[in-house]
Amino acid sequence: MPATIRDVARASGVHISTVSRTFSAPHLVNPETRSRVLACADDLGYRPNRAARALITGRTHNIGLIIADIANPFFPPLIKAAESQARQRDYHVFVADTNEDPAAEEELVHALAKQVDGVLLCSPRMSNSLIEQLSREVPLVVINRQVAGLPAVVMDVGQGARLAIDHLLGLGHRDIALLSGPRGSWTSREIRRAAAAAVRAGGGDLTVLGPNLPTETGGTALAEQVRRCGATAVLAYNDLMAIGLMEGLHDLGLRVPGDVSVVGIDDITLSRLTRPKLTTVATPTAAAGRTAVDMLLQHDSPAATRNLRGGGRSSAGDDRRTTAQVMLQTELVIRDSTGPGPRAGRTDGAAGVEHPGPHCPAGPGSPAVATGEVVAS
Amino acid sequence: MPATIRDVARASGVHISTVSRTFSAPHLVNPETRSRVLACADDLGYRPNRAARALITGRTHNIGLIIADIANPFFPPLIKAAESQARQRDYHVFVADTNEDPAAEEELVHALAKQVDGVLLCSPRMSNSLIEQLSREVPLVVINRQVAGLPAVVMDVGQGARLAIDHLLGLGHRDIALLSGPRGSWTSREIRRAAAAAVRAGGGDLTVLGPNLPTETGGTALAEQVRRCGATAVLAYNDLMAIGLMEGLHDLGLRVPGDVSVVGIDDITLSRLTRPKLTTVATPTAAAGRTAVDMLLQHDSPAATRNLRGGGRSSAGDDRRTTAQVMLQTELVIRDSTGPGPRAGRTDGAAGVEHPGPHCPAGPGSPAVATGEVVAS
DNA sequence: GTGAAAGCGCTAACAC
DNA sequence: GTGTTAGCGCTTTCAC
C-alpha cells in the first residue's frame, strides 16, 4: 500500500536512482528535477524505507538501549539524555526493558542487533563473557559495568559509598548495615567493596544483607532484618530500597533518623519528596546517557558527511574504535534521613556532626559538579 | 563480519534456500540436513537478519510503543504489560519517548513505520487529523484517546473524575479546584468535562487551573493559585501533580487534608508512599497495555501459523481489522489526603463522611475489579 | 527434499 | 545530471 521509490520514479518520469539521490544526496541532482520528484513523492506520501536502506548502507541510524527496569526512576533521566543526544546526531533510540532478567537481555541484543547501529547495555545482569561475545555481533557500550576490552561508562559508586560511610561514621555510627542489590550487579559489588573498606578503616562493623530486588518492596522487606542486626545506620543499594526501608522501619515503630539513619544511592527525584527527605549519593545519570551515546557514535563524526562530496577519500583510518572507559564522579547529598549515632560527640576525626546544609559537595576538595574523567584508553 | 546465510550454505554444502528453510520452515527439510545446517550455523554464529527477512515477508515481529514521558511513573506498568504480552506472541517492543512534544511524536511514527508491524500511540499530544493520516502509513492503536475510525483503548477517566468529585462533595466540600493537564490531552478534556458536570450537579463551584505540565513541579507551582482561589478540595490531572501540590501546600503552611483535600488520578506506586497517602482514581494501566497489544496483533492469530502446512489456503478473509474502541473501568481509592470539608455534617446525599477503608471499590454497586468493556465496534 | 531464479526497496559504482 | 547494473540478506515460487 505505501508508495515505493518506483512509484515516485514513474510519477515523476525519472529513474529510481534519481529519486534515491533526491533523498540521500540532494546536491547531486538538478534543482528542477529535485523539486519535481519531491512534489510527486509528497503527493504519493512516499517515505524512504529505512530498513531497506540500512540493508545496503549498513547504517540504520537507530541505537538500542537495553534497560534492566524501566520502572526504576533512576533510568528515565538517563534514557532522556541518551535520546536527546542521539536526536542531535540524527539517530533514534529504541528502548527495551528486560525486567532484570539476564536471558531477556541476551534475547534483546540479538533482536536489536541488525536493526540498530549499536546498543547501550545499561546495568546488565548477565555474565561478562556473554557480553563480550555479544559485542562481536553488534557494537556495544556498557553502562554501569566494566567489561575488559569494551567501551564503558560507569559512575564512581565506590567513591559514593565511601563518602556515605564516612558521613555515617562521622555522625557517630558504628554498626552499619548494607542493603545490597541484585545478583550480577557490578554496581552492587563495587559498593560493597568500598563500603566494607571504609567501615573497616573507621573501626566500625558492617553487616551485609542481600542480594535483594532493588525496589521499594525489596527495601521494606528488610526492615525486620535491619532491626534484628542492631545496626543504627544503613546504606542501601539505591534510593528505592532506602525509601522502602524507611516505610518498613516506620511500620515497625522505628524513627528515621532518630533510631536509624538511612542513606540511599542515585538521588532520584522521589528522594526529595519523602518525609524525611533522603540523604543520598547523587549519580550523574544524564551525563552517563549522553556520554554513552557519544562513545557509541564517535566514529560517525559529522565530518564523514562533509567528506562525501568531492573526490576526497573519506578517512578510513579512524574506524578503529578506541575503547575508553569513562568514570563519572558522584557526590553525597545530605538531607534529613541521617542523624547522630550512639557515639556522637565522641567523634575524633571525620566531618562535623551537624548537617552542613541541604546540598553539600562531595569530599573535601572534590568538585561540586560531576565531571567525566577518562580512566583508561 | 557477522555470518550470512550464504556462509552457512557454503559450510554445510547446501543451497541457501535450504538454509533459509531450516530456520523459517524446519519441517520442510530433511532432519539430517537440518541438523547439519544447524551445526554449521551455530559454528559460525549465524543468526538470520530480521531486517532482511522483514523486507520480503513484510513482518518485522516488532511493535513500537510511543510514550509521552517515560519519567512519568504512570507509564512503566503499561510498558511492561505491553512487553510481556508482546513477548508471548513472539514480538519485541521498541519504546520511544517524545518528551510531551507533538512534533517528536510524528517524527517517531515515521522512523518506526517500516521497522515495526504496528505502533501503540500512548497519550498522543498531536491532532486527531494527523493521527489519522499517520495511521495510513502504519497500523496504529491509540491509547488514552479516542480517534474516529481507529482502534483505541482508553480508561474511563470521566467516570473516575465523577467518583472523585462525588467523594469530595460527600465530604462537604463546595469550592473545588481542578488542576488540568497538558494541552492536547484527551484525558484532560474528559476529566474536565465530567468534573464540571458532577460539580454542577452537586451545587458546588469548580475553578479550573491550567493547562499545566503534568509533573510534580507543575503541581507545586500551583499551590499559591489554589490557596488564592479559595478551594477546599482539589482534583489533579494525575498523581504526580497531586503530590507536587501537596508539597507546595505544605510549604505554604497549609495542611492536607486539614485545610485542603487532594485527589489524584492514576494510583501510581508513589501515591502510597507519600504522607498523607494520596486518595486517587486507579486506572488499569497494565490492562491497557495488554489490550492494546492484542488489538494490534489480532489479525496475526496463532492459527495463521498452523495454516502454513498442507495445501489449505490461509484464511485471507479475516484480514479486515475490526476497529474496536475499548474503555477500561476506573475506581476510586480512598486514602488519607481527603477529609471533611466546611459543610461536613450538613451532607444529605452521597457517601458517608468517614473513610470506608483503605481500598474501597468505586461507586455503589460498581465492580471492584476494572474490566474491559467494548463500547463500539 | 533440494536447487534455481526472481525479487522485497533501496543505494552505489559506473557509464554516458 | 541521469540512467544502468549489480546486489545488500533473505524468502518464496517453481522445477526437478
Side-chain angles (χ1 to χ4, degrees), chain A residues 327-357:
Chain A
M327 182 171 278
L328 271 17
Q329 300 297 103
T330 57
E331 60 180 289
L332 182 66
V333 180
I334 299 176
R335 298 208 183 89
D336 312 326
S337 65
T338 45
R343 310 210 304 181
R346 281 197 267 157
T347 178
D348 48 15
V353 168
E354 274 322 305
H355 299 184

Side-chain angles (χ1 to χ4, degrees), chain A residues 102-119:
Chain A
E105 283 175 1
E106 181 181 0
E107 161 89 12
L108 275 168
V109 172
H110 286 140
L112 282 166
K114 294 302 193 316
Q115 334 210 24
V116 300
D117 296 340
V119 354

Side-chain angles (χ1 to χ4, degrees), chain B residues 109 118-121 131-132 134-135 138-142 150-151 296:
Chain B
V109 172
V119 353
L120 270 30
L121 204 52
I131 294 179
E132 207 167 350
L134 289 174
S135 80
V138 57
L140 243 45
V141 170
V142 186
L150 288 191
L296 191 62

Side-chain angles (χ1 to χ4, degrees), chain A residues 297-321:
Chain A
L297 264 32
Q298 63 182 4
H299 60 109
D300 164 85
S301 62
T305 309
R306 260 183 269 118
N307 281 345
L308 279 182
R309 62 170 223 77
R313 65 207 188 306
S314 66
S315 46
D318 64 3
D319 204 35
R320 179 186 65 92
R321 37 177 1 96

Side-chain angles (χ1 to χ4, degrees), chain A residues 20-330:
Chain A
S20 172
R21 277 189 281 260
T22 304
F23 286 94
S24 46
H27 56 100
L28 289 183
V29 46
N30 183 311
E32 291 177 18
T33 325
R34 191 199 308 158
S35 56
R36 185 154 41 91
V37 170
L38 251 20
C40 292
D42 197 64
D43 234 51
L44 297 169
Y46 168 76
R47 316 207 116 240
N49 182 328
R50 305 175 117 250
R53 173 183 288 177
L55 196 55
I56 188 158
T57 60
R59 344 224 62 250
T60 61
H61 267 246
N62 295 145
I63 90 182
L65 174 51
I66 296 182
I67 298 280
D69 178 14
I70 274 192
N72 184 335
F74 168 76
F75 293 111
L78 190 154
I79 298 174
K80 281 170 178 288
E83 273 168 343
S84 88
Q85 189 76 358
R87 186 159 340 191
Q88 272 184 38
R89 291 144 82 18
D90 194 27
Y91 275 74
H92 287 282
V93 175
F94 295 156
V95 185
D97 177 273
T98 65
N99 264 309
E100 301 269 356
D101 173 10
E105 283 175 1
E106 181 181 0
E107 161 89 12
L108 275 168
V109 172
H110 286 140
L112 282 166
K114 294 302 193 316
Q115 334 210 24
V116 300
D117 296 340
V119 354
L120 270 30
L121 203 52
C122 198
S123 307
R125 305 295 183 226
M126 55 183 155
S127 72
N128 275 8
S129 61
L130 185 49
I131 294 179
E132 207 168 350
Q133 181 189 324
L134 290 173
S135 80
R136 278 193 286 274
E137 195 172 334
V138 57
L140 243 46
V141 171
V142 186
I143 303 178
N144 284 345
R145 174 116 149 213
Q146 290 183 313
V147 180
L150 288 190
V153 13
V154 298
M155 333 262 190
D156 196 347
V157 286
Q159 177 208 23
R162 223 169 296 125
L163 293 171
I165 295 293
D166 286 348
H167 167 62
L168 260 15
L169 255 15
L171 283 169
H173 294 277
R174 211 198 84 82
D175 294 305
I176 301 180
L178 173 67
L179 272 39
S180 60
R183 190 181 311 282
S185 161
W186 178 90
T187 298
S188 190
R189 264 202 313 282
E190 288 300 303
I191 291 170
R192 177 176 177 163
R193 184 174 319 178
V199 169
R200 200 177 319 118
D205 216 49
L206 186 74
T207 309
V208 178
L209 269 25
N212 310 288
L213 239 58
T215 60
E216 282 140 274
T217 326
T220 308
L222 289 167
E224 184 55 42
Q225 286 187 56
V226 164
R227 172 163 64 174
R228 264 208 306 271
C229 82
T232 62
V234 181
L235 171 61
Y237 168 74
N238 70 7
D239 287 351
L240 244 30
M241 292 186 67
I243 291 168
L245 175 69
M246 291 203 298
E247 277 301 302
L249 292 174
H250 176 87
D251 292 348
L252 252 39
L254 292 174
R255 309 285 305 171
V256 173
D259 298 315
V260 15
S261 288
V262 176
V263 182
I265 298 184
D266 286 351
D267 193 23
I268 61 179
T269 318
L270 179 49
S271 64
R272 221 162 311 161
L273 292 179
T274 53
R275 224 78 60 90
K277 296 180 177 166
L278 186 67
T279 293
T280 187
V281 174
T283 51
T285 43
R290 273 194 301 276
T291 308
V293 168
D294 282 344
M295 290 176 73
L296 191 60
L297 264 32
Q298 63 182 4
H299 60 109
D300 164 85
S301 62
T305 309
R306 260 183 269 118
N307 281 345
L308 279 182
R309 62 170 223 77
R313 65 207 188 306
S314 66
S315 46
D318 64 3
D319 204 35
R320 179 186 65 92
R321 37 177 1 96
T322 63
T323 73
Q325 312 221 126
V326 173
M327 182 171 278
L328 271 17
Q329 300 297 103
T330 57

Side-chain angles (χ1 to χ4, degrees), chain B residues 68 105 121-126 131 142-145 184-186:
Chain B
E105 283 174 359
L121 204 52
C122 197
S123 307
R125 305 298 184 222
M126 57 183 155
I131 294 179
V142 186
I143 303 177
N144 285 345
R145 176 115 150 214
S185 161
W186 177 90

